[in-house]
Amino acid sequence: MARKIILDVDTGTDDAVAVMLAALHPALDLVGCTTVNGNIRVESCTDNTLRVLDHIGRSSIPVYEGLTRPIARVDFPIPRGEKDHSGKYHPDTLPIPPPTSRKQDAGAIEFLIEMFRAATEEIVLVPVGPLTNIATALLLDPKFAKRVPEIVIMGGGHELGNVTPSAEFNVWADPEAAAMVFAAGFEKITLVPLDATHRALITQAQCEELEALGTSAGQAAAAFIGHRIVVHDTHQRQDVPHSTPVHDALAVGAVIDPSLIVTRKLHVAVETDGPLTVGRTVIDTHFRGGKAPNAEVAFDADASRFFDLLLRTFAAKA
Ligand code: BDR
Ligand code: CA
């Protein structure tokens, strides 16, 4: 039986690939997407999510719009759409036709709380944007953490930052929310940080294979990943020439096939104060803090099996 999953996204090119993977892989049943302010404004994230689902023939998957700003930071620069978090050009709108379907009337937080309250089967929660919606659900429903059997988060970094030398974007963008999530007592947290996503790079040649599939999903994935390669080549060159991480899709891949990532059980906390380190995931790799591990943290990933997963999933006709 397919595993139920909810994706919390700030769609975005790599979120878009994650949405397609979750919506199309037969081992998953994507019961809904929630959107959150992040790389771009939440309205644009919602529009992009709807257009991706329409484009691949999955308009029946509901989309719930979430919060417009972080839970605590009044000074957070709410994105205006011209730039991504590295200050590079980042169009708001994905290059596929506008949506014909509409977002749901209910909001993301209401949906998350009600889905997990009423669930009779396990639902995996997969946040791949700032953790604002999830922290708010924790605030409003004191039992929320206990109701979620597994949460797989794309965020953070141990060796690597991408928005500052210390911090990864999703955690940095709402550090108080992320700190709450790691301290909430979730039964099972899997963290897929930059350390793992940068081990699963997709190359330009692989993009051409996706394009050659001739399916809506294959061609859209090629366009989204191709755009990422251009941006990374220009501003954040990877060790493998003409390649890019597709962060959020790896988190979904790890739900489908946990052996795609290599994890260690460690304690993770989030820095919310340090002027140089705000938004850093402090991962206690040498057990110096004396706190019990609270997350399975991925440090490696199998790049070629990850690509095969994308290729096989996007090959299927919608
Ligand atoms: C994360 O930040 C966003 O730009 C991406 O979608 C991904 O979720 C990577 O740091
Ligand atoms: Ca994202």
Side-chain angles (χ1 to χ4, degrees):
M1 200 172 58
R3 273 190 103 183
K4 293 191 183 305
I5 175 174
I6 294 174
L7 262 185
D8 186 67
V9 287
D10 60 334
T11 317
T13 49
D14 61 328
D15 304 74
V17 181
V19 169
M20 294 195 295
L21 184 57
L24 295 175
H25 197 283
L28 298 182
D29 171 11
L30 179 58
V31 297
C33 290
T34 51
T35 61
V36 65
N37 172 66
N39 225 359
I40 51 176
R41 291 165 301 183
V42 72
E43 299 83 357
S44 301
C45 298
T46 304
D47 176 275
N48 279 341
T49 309
L50 290 166
R51 61 175 71 202
V52 168
L53 290 169
D54 283 354
H55 189 67
I56 59 169
R58 291 292 187 277
S59 309
S60 57
I61 296 171
V63 177
Y64 301 83
E65 192 161 277
L67 296 177
T68 56
R69 57 183 316 133
I71 56 171
R73 298 199 167 232
V74 288
D75 59 346
F76 182 83
I78 293 175
R80 292 284 167 249
E82 306 86 15
K83 305 267 176 81
D84 72 5
H85 56 268
S86 344
K88 314 302 173 328
Y89 175 69
H90 190 299
D92 262 6
T93 307
L94 292 172
I96 49 175
T100 50
S101 53
R102 291 164 54 85
K103 69 179 179 183
Q104 301 296 304
D105 291 337
I109 315 299
E110 194 181 338
F111 168 70
L112 287 170
I113 290 176
E114 188 47 30
M115 274 309 282
F116 284 99
R117 193 195 59 76
T120 52
E121 285 171 50
E122 282 204 356
I123 307 172
V124 186
L125 179 57
V126 183
V128 295
L131 288 157
T132 315
N133 289 339
I134 315 306
T136 307
L138 287 167
L139 284 171
L140 291 177
D141 176 3
K143 295 196 177 146
F144 188 73
K146 292 287 163 242
R147 299 189 203 275
V148 176
E150 183 176 0
I151 178 166
V152 179
I153 298 169
M154 190 282 128
H158 187 63
E159 284 288 326
L160 288 161
N162 62 2
V163 63
T164 74
S166 318
E168 178 280 333
F169 177 76
N170 289 340
V171 175
W172 173 87
D174 196 344
E176 286 76 15
M180 282 177 58
V181 168
F182 284 100
F186 282 102
E187 180 71 26
K188 182 171 184 201
I189 300 182
T190 302
L191 180 64
V192 182
L194 297 175
D195 308 72
T197 64
H198 282 245
R199 302 281 295 165
L201 302 173
I202 302 291
T203 64
Q204 184 56 44
Q206 290 173 323
C207 246
E208 282 152 28
E209 286 185 61
L210 288 166
E211 168 82 31
L213 291 173
T215 57
S216 307
Q219 292 186 333
F224 303 154
I225 298 171
H227 173 77
R228 297 182 60 77
I229 291 173
V230 171
V231 172
H232 277 80
D233 272 357
T234 319
H235 302 290
Q236 212 191 103
R237 217 171 185 29
Q238 304 296 304
D239 295 341
V240 177
H242 310 307
S243 72
T244 178
V246 189
H247 313 280
D248 298 346
L250 183 64
V252 172
V255 178
I256 297 166
D257 178 0
S259 74
L260 281 182
I261 55 172
V262 179
T263 64
R264 291 171 63 195
K265 189 137 204 216
L266 299 167
H267 186 267
V268 180
V270 175
E271 176 60 82
T272 54
D273 287 330
L276 293 175
T277 52
V278 65
R280 177 167 183 79
T281 41
V282 179
I283 302 174
D284 189 2
T285 48
H286 289 78
F287 306 99
R288 297 296 152 91
K291 296 211 173 115
N294 58 356
E296 291 282 352
V297 183
F299 286 93
D300 201 357
D302 188 324
S304 90
R305 285 177 48 230
F306 173 54
F307 175 67
D308 283 349
L309 178 66
L310 295 180
L311 196 66
R312 272 185 284 113
T313 310
F314 299 158
K317 299 270 179 263

